[in-house]
Each structure stands twice: as structure tokens, then as C-alpha cells.
Amino acid sequence: MEFSAILNNAGFSNAELESGTLTVSSPINGQVIASLAVHSSDEAHGIIAKSKAAFSEWKLVPAPRRGELVRLLGEELRAEKENLGRLVTLECGKILQEGLGEVQEMIDICDLAVGISRQLFGLTIASERPGHSMRETWHPMGVCGIITAFNFPVAPWCWNAALALVCGDPVIWKPSEKTPLCALAVQKICDRALARFGDAPAGLIQVLIGEREAGEILTTSRNVAVVSATGSTRMGHAVGAALSARFGRCILELGGNNAMIVSPSADLEMALRAIVFSAVGTAGQRCTSLRRLIVHEDIYDALLQRLKKAYAGLPIGNPLEDGMLVGPLIDQEALANMTRALSAAKADGADVFGGEALPEAGYVHPAIAEMPAQTDIVREETFAPILYVLKYNDLDAAIALQNDVPQGLSSCIFSTDVREAEYFLSAGGSDCGIANVNIGPSGAEIGGAFGGEKDTGGGRESGSDAWRGYMRRQTNTINYSRELPLAQGIKFDI
């Protein structure tokens, strides 16, 4: 399918695609596919003011009614899955199956959020005072700013937006300047859901187009109560500092340096499939990509031989074509970072398999780097398909290796020994926010809370009780007696 057909099917007119100075290129072949208008500072503040006004109305709408809007959004996304999935592939370069899967994540979180809209529950708490009751209630927080990264240009917005909307919060989306078309296409889908809903306030769902300055306006504005930011640890430090300075709430989903431990009892065929998908999916540009493979010395040679054979046969090319498993890196900067990291690994004594740039600009063969130790470059997150491989002979040593990095997002072990598996999941095991057994570190489901510790930022999105991040907690004490006893037995007679 031609690029123009993908853009047309996503609802874009030629006028929209030629409206400004922000150049958008497809990593598939470097072709410029749009020149978009960006919002000025005054326009950005106007968007925030409009969102704040919407909050005054939306917070009073019953939560199940708010859930109806998200239900309609899920229906619209189902109808547009193919078109939006192709646009994701066109703009960020992941293979079409992954583009479609990302839209499916949006549909799934809409389904989950609709159910949550009827379960925004608090607690009933025993009071020490006779004739008193206590309870905990949750209320809408305010405007929610959402900053997303290029590698997942639509799903993380929906993880946040679906929950924020049912919790009573308007949303403002600042997408990556590398993938703004996806955000604008989703806004068109939202507009259709809003029209069907009928009585939502103006400004409930908005997109803010711009570069770093646009994100800074969101993070520094006191009219934005919550900012959820997905991106690099460096970006997260800036966002966190800005929110902290004004006591705003932040939800940070930052870098990952994810490991897999493969024990002697592992099913090697299953481990091999998980390794390849986790390490080369999205061309290694997932926050949950497998970056470190820690293999027991008894099975190291056998696994590495099979892994290199699998890597040698990887279909690499245009991600819109059937059968491709590896698409392009997002841009030349990403390729330069990969080249730099491999040079550093070789200087540390690595034996590197693959990693060569292909004749087509932006495409590269995924690399396997057998490391003598976990050096500084291994502890650094490089957003590219580099898999560092290390040996171990003791499970405690393997877990220590896994945990000895600044990031703490996702982790896994392949083992059929229940003791090893349970120990890995215990307090003595993985220090990550996600810990899996016999599946890779990527491909999280909507039902569980998503996020990690340390330099990953500590945020949680998606399932479980992540909805609480978009609401404020209130403790209520009710005196239904005719007396006024004080807590802690204090006497204060007048």
C-alpha cells in the first residue's frame, strides 16, 4: 500500500499534511510524509485553559457515564484498527503485526477502563470513637497531561487516557515530535466517539503538537494536575524535577535494561523464541526489549549456537511487507548510538555477531555481543537491537548481575525448577517492576500494572489499581452520635 493511501485512510487531507514547519519522515525509507503546524506557547496555554474548564464539568459526570465515552472510543478503535495500525508502522517503523498489536492494546485498555468506571472504590475504616465511622473516597484529580515516545506512538496514550477519562480527568496529549501523525489520527477517532457520546464538555480530549518546549509547558503549568511521561531516563529527570518543584503528580515510565536468566533446566526451544522476539521486536526499540541474556555455563554454547542461527535468518526490511520481523531504526541518530555502543563493547572484549548496517538507510542487522563481564556499556540502555550475553554458574550471581543496573523495568527467568522460579519472584530475586517466568520481558498484558523501579521512574499504568494515579484520596470521618469524643482519648472541656 502506498504511503499516501495509508495517510488518506487515516483521515488526513493534503492541506493538513502541508500545514506547517514540523517535518515528519517515515523511517521506512526516509520519505517526508508531512509538514505539520505546531502550537505556539499562547496556543498551548489556551489548550490547558480549555481542559481546565472541561474538568469543572466532567468531574461531576457519574463515573459509569464517563465509562460510556471510553466504551464508544473502544468501538471506534475496533473499526479503525487496520488503518491506525498501518499508520503506526508507517510513522515509527515497527512491523505491521506490532502496529496492529499496539492498536489492540488500546482496545483492551478501553474494555478494562469501562469496567473500572463502576469500581472506583474506597474503604470503610473502623473508628476508635463511638458513634463515628470512617471511610476513604476517591475524586477526580484534574487535567492530565500525557507525553509519549516514538516507539509506542498510540498505546501508552490510551493506557493513560482511558483511565484518566473514567476517573474524571480531561487529557492533553503531547506526542513525540517524531510520531505526531498517529496522535492526530487518534484525535479524529476520539472526535467521532465524542460526537456519539453527545454531551461531553469541549476540550475534554486534546492534542498538543510541538517539541520539547510544548512538554515543558505541560509540566510547569499549575493547571495540569497530573503528567504521565514515557521516554528516556534523562527526560524523566527533567519532568520529575518540574513536577516536584510545584508539587504536581507525575507518572514516569522511563528506561529499561531488561535481562533474561536461562537456567540449566530451561526449555531451550521456548527460551530461544522468547529471546528473539524480545530482543529484535520493534528493532530493539522497546522499553521492555531484552538487552541482557544471562545464560548458565552448562548450556551456554548450545543456546548461543542456536541463537546465532536464528539471527542469521531474520527477515529484515520494509515493515509493511508480510513476513518481515525487523524494520528500521527510527533515525540516523539511533543508528549512530548503536554503532557507538558496539564499538565500546568491542573495546571491552566483546565478541560481536551481526550489527552491520544494511544498504538500505536505517536498517541494521541485530547484534549479539558476548561479553566477558557486565561493563559500563552493558549497564547503559542503548535503544537498538543489541543483545549482550553473559555466563553464570550460580543463580544468586545471575540475579545479582541482573539487578546491577540503574534501570528496573522488566525481567524474566527461564527455568522448569519451581524453586528457582519462586526464588526469582521473591524479595531475594528480581528488583524490577515486572518479573516473569518462562516468558520474555516484553509483551505485557493490560490487566497488570505496568512500570518499574529505580531509573525507570516508579510509575504504574494500565491495570490493577493504576487508576488511583489519576485521582485524589480523601479520608472522611462522620460523627452520627450526639457526643463529640476526641481521638486518642484527649480531654478538652470548655
Side-chain angles (χ1 to χ4, degrees), residues 339-420:
T339 301
R340 176 191 60 81
L342 287 176
S343 295
K346 290 175 182 177
D348 290 338
D351 182 8
V352 176
F353 176 85
E356 307 88 0
L358 301 184
E360 299 84 0
Y363 293 82
V364 66
H365 198 288
I368 298 170
E370 297 180 68
M371 301 298 299
Q374 185 157 274
T375 60
D376 287 345
I377 193 60
V378 180
R379 298 178 75 251
E380 177 183 320
E381 180 191 34
T382 301
F383 227 52
I386 301 174
L387 180 63
Y388 300 107
V389 188
L390 300 139
K391 288 182 183 178
Y392 83 93
N393 59 14
D394 173 77
L395 182 59
D396 283 327
I399 291 172
L401 262 182
Q402 180 204 273
N403 293 345
D404 186 27
V405 293
Q407 311 84 0
L409 178 52
S410 191
S411 59
C412 62
I413 187 171
F414 270 75
S415 173
T416 57
D417 184 328
V418 68
R419 295 182 182 89
E420 288 185 330

Side-chain angles (χ1 to χ4, degrees), residues 258-260 274 278 288-291 410-412 434 436 439-444:
N258 315 293
M260 176 192 294
S278 300
T288 54
S289 289
L290 178 62
R291 308 208 180 279
S410 191
S411 59
C412 62
I434 300 169
N436 298 330
I439 63 170
S442 62

Side-chain angles (χ1 to χ4, degrees), residues 62-131:
R65 173 65 178 156
R66 300 193 297 246
E68 172 63 7
L69 172 59
V70 176
R71 188 190 70 81
L72 294 171
L73 175 58
E75 284 189 355
E76 296 293 336
L77 287 167
R78 281 176 169 86
E80 289 296 319
K81 179 177 176 179
E82 180 74 21
N83 291 333
L84 185 56
R86 287 187 179 277
L87 181 63
V88 168
T89 293
L90 173 64
E91 197 171 30
C92 84
K94 62 175 61 175
I95 64 172
L96 182 55
Q97 280 297 307
E98 292 187 79
L100 295 171
E102 186 171 347
V103 182
Q104 186 61 48
E105 286 190 61
M106 303 175 77
I107 295 167
D108 293 344
I109 191 63
C110 286
D111 288 350
L112 181 72
V114 172
I116 287 175
S117 72
R118 294 182 179 270
Q119 299 181 69
L120 299 175
F121 58 88
L123 300 172
T124 299
I125 305 166
S127 173
E128 68 185 60
R129 288 170 279 189

Side-chain angles (χ1 to χ4, degrees), residues 233-306:
T233 297
R234 177 185 57 79
M235 180 274 286
H237 279 298
V239 171
L243 269 294
S244 177
R246 62 178 179 87
F247 297 114
R249 181 180 297 177
C250 62
I251 301 170
L252 298 176
E253 299 292 351
L254 310 175
N257 194 345
N258 315 293
M260 176 192 294
I261 298 171
V262 185
S263 84
S265 71
D267 180 328
L268 293 189
E269 180 60 30
M270 192 162 61
L272 179 68
R273 292 174 59 199
I275 292 164
V276 176
F277 170 71
S278 300
V280 310
T282 322
Q285 298 170 116
R286 289 185 177 216
C287 56
T288 54
S289 289
L290 178 62
R291 308 208 180 279
R292 295 175 296 135
L293 182 63
I294 304 169
V295 184
H296 193 276
E297 59 188 11
D298 290 351
I299 57 170
Y300 183 93
D301 291 338
L303 181 58
L304 262 290
Q305 182 180 0
R306 297 172 71 177

